[in-house]
């Protein structure tokens, strides 16, 4: 069985890490390079950075953060937020990032997925999906623009299309669970994981090691995104992995 990955997520606003609840009310959580270095030392498998103020005017801030991370962190990292073209992808990857992720631009211009995969390889292209449960219980709707704009797209169907177009992974966030520390939306995660032939990263809601265990077992995810859990030192990466290992989940262990 493939080792399950634990991936800290760092939302970047004006060069600082912040944490939101259901995409709202960002709170400062520290310096991105310091946190990335800490998570690398603790045994994180990868790191994801989301530039939540990614206008073209502020892109230089995130590019500089990515360069600093690449100089000091030795695990793969992914950068997303405001990427609208293959040239934007190239700029991010040139800093030393291993992957990029696209969300709004993928929905608005689906051909961008294939264009990025053709230029850089599918392994570099992650499609992020923000899904919210429909009030009638008929599934989950895709939202864009940082969770502000409903699209009418079904999250499972969109994940399937993204995979067909060349995405190498799906980063799946439950808007209902995001920041709540009440657990992943396991039904959403399982529905997407069962529908696509590429890895799914569960995101939104992890508040305990048990939640992560559920995400990679009942949810079918190949990786788990964590944020509040580690930013606010509720658990360390090493503690999460030790818990998973003790319950028979294959993980990459590091020396303390």
């Amino acid at each position: 069985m493939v080792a399950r990955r634990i991936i800290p997520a760092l939302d970047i606003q004006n060069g600082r890490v912040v944490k939101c609840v259901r995409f709202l009310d960002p709170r400062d959580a520290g310096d991105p390079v310091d946190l990335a270095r800490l998570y690398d030392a603790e045994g994180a498998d990868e790191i994801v950075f989301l530039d939540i103020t990614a206008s073209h005017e502020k892109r230089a801030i995130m590019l500089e953060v990515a360069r600093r991370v690449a100089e000091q962190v030795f695990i793969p990292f992914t950068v997303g937020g405001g990427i609208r073209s293959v040239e934007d992808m190239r700029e991010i990857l040139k800093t030393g990032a291993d992957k990029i992720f696209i969300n709004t631009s993928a929905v608005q211009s689906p051909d961008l997925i294939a264009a990025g995969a053709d230029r850089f390889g599918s392994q570099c292209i992650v499609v992020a999906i923000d899904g919210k449960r429909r009030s009638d219980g008929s599934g989950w709707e895709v939202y864009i623009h940082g969770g502000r704009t409903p699209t009418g797209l079904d999250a499972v169907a969109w994940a399937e299309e993204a995979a067909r177009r060349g995405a190498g992974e799906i980063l799946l966030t439950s808007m209902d669970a995001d920041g709540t520390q009440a657990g992943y939306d396991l039904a959403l995660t399982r529905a997407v994981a069962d529908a696509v032939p590429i890895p799914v990263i569960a995101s939104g809601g992890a508040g305990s090691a048990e939640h992560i265990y559920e995400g990679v077992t009942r949810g079918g995810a190949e990786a788990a995104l964590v944020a509040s859990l580690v930013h606010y030192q509720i658990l360390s990466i090493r503690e999460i992995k030790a818990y998973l290992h003790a319950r028979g989940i294959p993980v990459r262990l590091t020396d303390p």
Side-chain angles (χ1 to χ4, degrees), residues 186-200:
L186 298 177
L188 170 61
T189 306
R190 172 56 75 177
V192 172
D194 285 347
V196 300
I198 57 177
V200 171

Side-chain angles (χ1 to χ4, degrees), residues 83-161:
I83 296 173
R84 299 178 179 88
S85 66
V86 170
E87 178 58 27
D88 289 342
M89 296 178 185
R90 188 184 71 84
E91 286 188 15
I92 294 293
L93 294 171
K94 278 176 59 181
T95 67
D98 299 271
K99 308 176 193 177
I100 60 89
F101 73 83
I102 49 178
N103 185 335
T104 298
S105 60
V107 171
Q108 295 177 332
S109 303
D111 288 345
L112 184 59
I113 302 170
D118 288 344
R119 179 67 179 83
F120 306 111
S122 290
Q123 79 286 347
C124 286
I125 309 301
V126 180
V127 170
I129 298 175
D130 297 333
K132 187 174 184 179
R133 189 180 292 271
R134 295 191 183 99
S135 58
D136 63 3
S138 62
W140 300 267
E141 183 172 2
V142 175
Y143 279 66
I144 57 175
H145 298 129
R148 294 185 295 275
T149 306
T151 66
L153 291 173
D154 177 78
V156 177
W158 172 233
E160 292 176 308
E161 181 177 350

